[in-house]
Amino acid sequence: MPPRRVITGRSQEPRKRLAEELRLLRTERGDSLRKLGEVLGWDWSLFGKMESGQTLGSPEVVQALDQHYGTPGLLLALWELAVGDPTQFKEQYRRYMMLEAEAVSLWQYSVSIIPGLLQTEGYAREVLALGGAKGKVLDQQVEARTGRRKLLEGDKTPPFRALLAEAVLRTPQRDVEEWREQLEYLLEASEEPNITIQVLPQETGLHGLVGTDVMFLRLLDGKTVAYTENAHRGELVEENSSVELLQRAYDAMRDLALNPAESRKFVLRMLEEVPCEPST
């Protein structure tokens, strides 16, 4: 059978396809980027970044563009595909990201940093920069990571439990205001009905997951997989007996953690200890 011909010649990669569609619609309309910004009320440079693939923009911006171009739902659909596209993540994370999007429940233990699903943009940027990302690559990785938070938003969201070692909350960002914003976001997230946050006190001592972050995903077929990660590498664990051992270690730690109400008070205490920036 001969290979199927590509009819439009446009990219099949969701992020590139969205950027191409935005450029095409604007040029067909005869708008300049500056005029587009004036008409829709956003800085025109945002539209330039969206057309070059540097950023995906927000759903509000994309909906406004759909209305402007008379393409109801088209651009928003392309945007949703781009946001959920696993190819925007590093290769070793891609299968995990696909499974995460399908999970019916998630629970995680974090050793030293805020879980990706609960990171603010400022926190994600600092963490990813420490890994060597910079420039456009850093911008795209930050957008990809913070875009994962949409998994926990909406009416039909999976339950998510985050078990945080005390060290996570005692390791601040360099920027005091961004650290304050991150702690405030944790408090807001803890109020969501599908999100449970618990703190594991330092006094608990050594335990079965010391030095290892782990995320568990329960899938539609009832199977549970785990993703373990340290400072140098991550590994998707699918073999049942290995997942069971990790699960037992997690359960033992959860039994020693502060309950959700106590954990919220702990986060609030950390927030109150954040120094105030001197007024100028």
Side-chain angles (χ1 to χ4, degrees):
M1 180 180 295
R4 186 174 62 181
R5 294 183 62 188
V6 177
I7 298 174
T8 64
R10 300 175 195 170
S11 176
Q12 301 303 299
E13 296 180 28
R15 192 182 190 104
K16 290 183 178 179
R17 177 61 182 274
L18 175 61
E20 289 175 359
E21 205 68 36
L22 290 171
R23 286 196 303 272
L24 180 64
L25 288 168
R26 182 177 59 80
T27 54
E28 286 181 344
R29 178 66 72 91
D31 290 342
S32 67
L33 289 171
R34 193 174 297 277
K35 180 181 178 181
L36 192 59
E38 292 173 354
V39 171
L40 297 184
W42 276 279
D43 190 301
W44 65 269
S45 64
L46 170 63
F47 299 110
K49 290 178 180 178
M50 291 174 70
E51 291 185 13
S52 65
Q54 290 179 263
T55 182
L56 294 176
S58 68
E60 293 78 17
V61 173
V62 177
Q63 286 177 319
L65 287 166
D66 257 333
Q67 184 175 358
H68 178 69
Y69 292 129
T71 55
L74 170 64
L75 295 177
L76 186 59
L78 291 175
W79 180 86
E80 290 175 342
L81 289 172
V83 168
D85 180 20
T87 62
Q88 63 186 311
F89 298 94
K90 290 183 178 179
E91 182 65 35
Q92 68 264 35
Y93 298 129
R94 290 181 185 175
R95 174 161 164 71
Y96 165 75
M97 294 306 305
M98 294 174 68
L99 293 174
E100 183 183 79
E102 300 170 358
V104 295
S105 63
L106 313 91
W107 56 105
Q108 175 163 5
Y109 169 64
S110 294
V111 176
S112 58
I113 64 171
I114 304 291
L117 288 172
L118 297 175
Q119 291 180 9
T120 60
E121 180 178 341
Y123 190 94
R125 182 171 296 279
E126 184 167 332
V127 170
L128 291 167
L130 290 172
K134 59 180 67 175
K136 182 178 179 181
V137 172
L138 176 59
D139 291 340
Q140 290 181 347
Q141 288 187 14
V142 169
E143 189 169 44
R145 176 165 296 186
T146 55
R148 291 172 58 202
R149 296 191 317 209
K150 296 186 182 301
L151 181 68
L152 302 179
E153 300 172 358
D155 297 329
K156 297 181 179 180
T157 55
F160 174 53
R161 180 184 299 272
L163 185 58
L164 311 179
E166 182 176 333
V168 172
L169 300 171
R170 292 196 180 276
T171 308
Q173 294 171 251
R174 296 187 181 94
D175 188 299
V176 171
E177 286 306 309
E178 288 188 350
W179 178 233
R180 185 188 303 278
E181 180 183 345
Q182 175 63 76
L183 292 177
E184 288 174 345
Y185 183 77
L186 279 182
L187 288 172
E188 291 173 10
S190 70
E191 296 178 344
E192 295 298 323
N194 62 310
I195 299 176
T196 302
I197 295 176
Q198 291 183 259
V199 177
L200 184 69
Q202 189 71 32
E203 63 194 36
T204 302
L206 297 175
H207 51 76
L209 292 176
V210 63
T212 302
D213 278 22
V214 60
M215 171 74 97
F216 297 93
L217 309 174
R218 179 163 292 129
L219 307 178
L220 282 169
D221 61 5
K223 180 179 180 180
T224 297
V225 300
Y227 186 81
T228 61
E229 191 171 26
N230 57 33
H232 305 290
R233 65 188 295 262
E235 179 183 5
L236 184 64
V237 182
E238 300 184 74
E239 199 271 320
N240 289 339
S241 61
S242 298
V243 173
E244 177 67 19
L245 288 174
L246 291 168
Q247 181 73 70
R248 289 179 184 176
Y250 181 93
D251 289 345
M253 293 159 53
R254 184 188 59 192
D255 292 342
L256 298 173
L258 302 178
N259 65 42
E262 294 170 333
S263 297
R264 180 177 170 80
K265 291 179 182 178
F266 189 97
V267 177
L268 183 58
R269 190 162 67 249
M270 293 297 98
L271 178 59
E272 291 171 344
E273 292 178 6
V274 176
C276 295
E277 290 280 18
S279 58
T280 55

